[in-house]
C-alpha cells in the first residue's frame, strides 16, 4: 500500500480525532447514505454525484482545511475515503474500483466479493457545524470587501497596498486567508480594469443577470439537453431554502444544482 499511499505523511491511525476530521467523516457518511438512496431509486446521475463527486469535494475540503491549519490529514479518514469511493463506484466503474481495491488498498480478494459499506447515520450536530464553517466563508467575503474598499478609498486608486491587505487577511486565520486570497485578487482585477468601484464593492455586474439568463434559455436548454429550464429570482434571506451550493455563489460566478423531477 505504501507504493500508492504514503502513510508517513498522514497522522497515525491511533492519533486522536480533531473536529475537522470528524466533520469530514460525518460528510462521508451522509454522502454514502445519499448514494444508496439515489441508486435504489435508479437516479444514477444523482448517485454518481454523491458517491464520486460529492466524496471528492468532501476530501478536497478536508485536505484544504488541514493544510491551512498546519496539521496532517488523519490516516483513518483518508483510508476510509479511498475505500468508500472504490465500493460506491463499483456498479458504475467495476474495473477501476477493483484496481483500487486490490492494488492500492491491498485487499486479499476482488471488490466484487465485498459487502456494502456500513457507515453510521450523519450526526445532526456535526452536519450543522459543517454548514456553519462554510457559512463563515461568506462572512469572510464580506470582511474582504470592506477591507479592499477601505484600502481603495485610502489610496484613491486601484493601486492598493498588497502587503497591507495580506497583513489584514492574516487576522482571518490561515484557513480563510487561503480561500479568500483569490476572492480579493478578483476584486482588485475588477478595480484595475476600470469598473465602477460602487459596482465592485456592492457585488454588482455590468449587465442585468435575469435578462441575460432569460435571453439565454434556448441555448441553455439545448446545450444541457434539458426539456425545461426556469429562472427564479431569490432574495438573500431565502438562501436557506435552497440547496447548499447556492450559498457559495457570488455575482458573476454562479453555482449550479441539478436534480431529477
Amino acid at each position: 500500500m505504501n507504493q500508492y499511499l504514503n502513510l508517513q505523511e498522514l497522522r497515525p491511525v491511533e492519533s486522536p480525532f480533531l473536529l475537522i476530521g470528524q466533520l469530514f467523516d460525518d460528510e462521508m457518511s451522509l454522502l454514502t447514505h445519499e448514494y444508496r438512496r439515489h441508486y435504489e431509486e435508479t437516479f444514477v446521475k444523482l448517485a454518481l454525484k454523491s458517491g464520486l463527486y460529492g466524496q471528492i469535494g468532501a476530501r478536497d475540503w478536508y485536505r484544504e482545511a488541514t493544510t491551512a491549519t498546519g496539521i496532517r490529514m488523519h490516516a483513518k479518514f483518508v483510508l476510509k475515503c479511498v475505500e468508500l469511493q472504490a465500493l460506491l463506484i463499483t456498479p458504475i466503474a467495476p474495473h477501476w474500483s477493483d484496481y483500487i481495491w486490490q492494488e492500492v488498498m491491498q485487499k486479499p480478494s476482488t471488490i466484487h466479493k465485498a459487502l456494502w459499506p456500513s457507515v453510521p447515520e450523519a450526526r445532526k450536530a456535526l452536519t450543522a457545524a459543517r454548514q456553519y464553517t462554510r457559512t463563515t466563508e461568506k462572512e469572510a467575503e464580506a470582511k474582504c470587501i470592506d477591507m479592499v474598499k477601505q484600502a481603495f478609498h485610502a489610496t484613491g486608486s486601484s493601486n492598493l497596498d498588497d502587503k497591507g491587505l495580506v497583513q489584514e487577511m492574516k487576522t482571518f486565520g490561515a484557513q480563510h486567508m487561503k480561500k479568500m486570497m483569490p476572492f480579493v485578487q478578483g476584486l482588485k482585477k475588477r478595480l484595475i480594469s476600470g469598473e465602477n468601484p460602487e459596482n465592485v464593492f456592492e457585488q454588482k455586474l455590468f449587465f442585468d443577470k435575469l435578462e441575460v439568463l432569460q435571453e439565454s434559455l434556448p441555448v441553455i436548454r439545448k446545450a444541457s439537453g434539458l426539456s425545461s429550464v426556469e429562472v427564479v429570482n431569490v432574495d438573500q434571506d431565502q438562501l436557506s431554502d435552497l440547496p447548499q451550493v447556492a450559498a457559495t455563489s457570488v455575482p458573476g460566478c454562479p453555482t449550479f444544482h441539478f436534480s431529477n423531477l
Side-chain angles (χ1 to χ4, degrees), residues 15-35:
S15 60
F17 301 149
L18 302 179
L19 177 60
I20 295 176
Q22 294 179 53
L23 295 179
F24 175 45
D25 187 44
D26 182 74
E27 187 165 17
M28 286 193 290
S29 295
L30 177 68
L31 291 167
T32 300
H33 288 292
E34 276 186 5
Y35 174 88

Side-chain angles (χ1 to χ4, degrees), residues 79-261:
L79 294 174
K80 179 178 179 178
C81 179
V82 176
E83 184 170 317
L84 277 178
Q85 281 195 331
L87 287 168
L88 298 183
I89 302 303
T90 298
I92 300 172
H95 300 295
W96 176 86
S97 297
D98 199 46
Y99 173 81
I100 297 297
W101 191 255
Q102 295 193 67
E103 298 297 328
V104 177
M105 302 297 294
Q106 297 289 294
K107 299 291 185 178
S109 62
T110 176
I111 196 172
H112 304 295
K113 295 182 179 180
L115 298 177
W116 178 259
S118 177
V119 297
E121 292 288 342
R123 294 165 55 185
K124 292 183 179 180
L126 290 176
T127 301
R130 186 171 60 253
Q131 293 173 345
Y132 173 75
T133 59
R134 291 171 180 172
T135 300
T136 57
E137 292 174 7
K138 299 297 290 185
E139 296 174 355
E141 287 182 2
K143 291 181 180 179
C144 286
I145 292 174
D146 289 338
M147 179 184 66
V148 174
K149 184 177 182 180
Q150 291 176 12
F152 176 80
H153 289 313
T155 60
S157 71
S158 58
N159 186 22
L160 306 181
D161 179 10
D162 288 338
K163 291 184 179 180
L165 291 176
V166 171
Q167 287 299 321
E168 286 196 51
M169 290 185 68
K170 287 183 178 179
T171 62
F172 295 175
Q175 180 178 348
H176 285 313
M177 180 178 175
K178 181 179 179 181
K179 291 188 175 183
M180 291 302 106
M181 187 62 75
F183 179 73
V184 170
Q185 293 299 326
L187 295 176
K188 287 181 57 181
K189 286 181 180 179
R190 292 177 65 183
L191 291 171
I192 292 172
S193 69
E195 188 173 341
N196 187 332
E198 181 181 347
N199 291 343
V200 175
F201 299 134
E202 294 185 10
Q203 293 288 275
K204 295 180 179 178
L205 299 174
F206 285 119
F207 53 87
D208 187 318
K209 292 177 291 184
L210 286 177
E211 181 181 352
V212 171
L213 286 172
Q214 292 287 2
E215 292 290 335
S216 303
L217 282 181
V219 178
I220 295 174
R221 280 196 297 267
K222 184 175 181 179
S224 61
L226 300 174
S227 59
S228 177
V229 179
E230 182 180 3
V231 178
V232 180
N233 190 20
V234 179
D235 294 329
Q236 188 71 21
D237 57 1
Q238 295 176 292
L239 284 178
S240 59
D241 300 327
L242 297 177
Q244 183 176 334
V245 69
T248 63
S249 63
V250 295
C253 297
T255 54
F256 300 89
H257 175 78
F258 298 93
S259 61
N260 290 338
L261 299 177

Side-chain angles (χ1 to χ4, degrees), residues 5-7 9-11 24-25 28 59 62-63 66 72-85 105:
L5 296 173
N6 188 353
L7 299 182
E9 295 183 357
L10 306 175
R11 296 178 63 224
F24 175 45
D25 187 44
M28 286 193 290
R59 178 209 63 192
Y62 179 51
R63 181 173 56 195
T66 52
R72 293 177 294 170
M73 294 187 291
H74 199 289
K76 178 180 178 180
F77 297 138
V78 172
L79 294 174
K80 179 178 179 178
C81 179
V82 176
E83 184 170 317
L84 277 178
Q85 281 195 331
M105 302 297 294

